[in-house]
Amino acid sequence: MKHITCIDDLRALHKRRVPKAFFDYCDRGSYAEETLRANREDMQAIKFRQRILVDVSKRDTSTTILGEPSTMPLMLAPVGLLGMQHGDGEIHACRAAQAAGIPFTQSTMSICSIEDIAAAVDKPFWFQLYVMKDRGFIKDLIQRAIAAKCSALVLTVDLQVIGQRHADIKNGMTIPPEWTLSKFLDFATKPAWVSGVLQGKRRTFGNIAGHVKNTEDLNRLAEWTASQFDTSLNWKDVEWIRSIWPGKLIIKGILDVEDAEEAAKTGAQALVVSNHGGRQLDGAPSSIEVLPEIADAVGDTMEIMFDGGIRSGQDVMRALALGAKSCMIGRAYAYGLGAGGQAGVAKAIDIIQKELLTTMGLCGVNRIDEIDDHVIAV
């Protein structure tokens, strides 16, 4: 990790070390990838006001997230299949986040189970929930998160219909991977990855295994999962979830002011402005484009979190300036995981924190709560 200087370096190393199907699963977006590109292009179009001769000797990235102290306004977003980027990937990512003093969010579609992670770490983590048709399973999953002492539930609401990612179809993406000649040759050139995944606790969806009968039949498990995303999901289901979940609730996947206002009525403590990393509705606006109006509409009643295109500390600064209180990273730390396991995730977090500190200094800012739209060049 000595010569890694930025998230793009981690991405390049990830691409070399992980089989193509799993790298593309992390890296690519849906359909023509217009929204995926917009997340980055719109972010980079935002310019800062450089300020000089301001005492910035006491810069500090610490803040609070949902009332809990955090070393910086950053969380690790839920990312599915981390255990196929690196063996026991969810555990390694959670450990890196907790060592850095920031929250980690486990995906419903993770390789390690809730219990696997809870047994391997010392502090509570967040759990992300997809609501499936089998409400009995969802109730059980929430209760498992409660038993594991998860400190927040992140309800993802933008996956009722699944956007198609062409790369996944072309790569024949399956969990665990089906063997073809091209995949065998690809895997053969990545022995460290193969060894790590084979030594991991699991190679299928840990939170679902055991619920579906005959889970040793991986095709059956995959078919059940694909059939379970619920197109009937609506705001009444949020009420039902709140009746079971006693803790802090975050609603993730808000891109519209009207939806943000509805989310505020649920009693959830926070929402995440997100377009699912450009992996769902292609042609949707970038997350950063809609952030200011959502923050203006409900920022006084809910904590505004941001997700979509964060690759640097400069990007975190941009999102904070436009109304977010904290930011999630997904691909940025998944690149680190694929590049170097727990050390790679720690490197991604460290890069972003140092870039944020530098950007604060050059914009004349010492504290996170000083960051607002005055740091943005008009």
Side-chain angles (χ1 to χ4, degrees), residues 84 110-113 175-176 202-207 209 215 218 221:
M84 300 307 291
S110 61
I111 300 300
C112 290
S113 69
I175 304 300
R202 303 175 190 272
R203 284 167 291 283
T204 187
F205 298 118
N207 290 321
T215 54
L218 297 169
L221 183 60

Side-chain angles (χ1 to χ4, degrees), residues 267-343:
Q269 284 75 23
L271 64 78
V272 187
V273 177
S274 171
N275 56 32
H276 217 102
R279 296 165 68 83
Q280 282 294 95
L281 177 59
D282 198 31
S286 67
S287 297
I288 200 70
E289 179 182 345
V290 300
L291 172 62
E293 58 182 348
I294 291 175
D296 286 344
V298 299
D300 291 338
T301 57
M302 304 181 77
E303 200 159 305
I304 306 299
M305 300 172 176
F306 177 84
D307 171 64
I310 299 285
R311 299 290 187 276
S312 67
Q314 292 90 333
D315 294 338
V316 172
M317 184 89 160
R318 290 171 170 125
L320 297 181
L322 295 182
K325 190 162 188 301
S326 56
C327 297
M328 285 185 166
I329 54 170
R331 289 183 177 91
Y333 85 86
Y335 294 149
L337 182 67
Q342 184 173 332

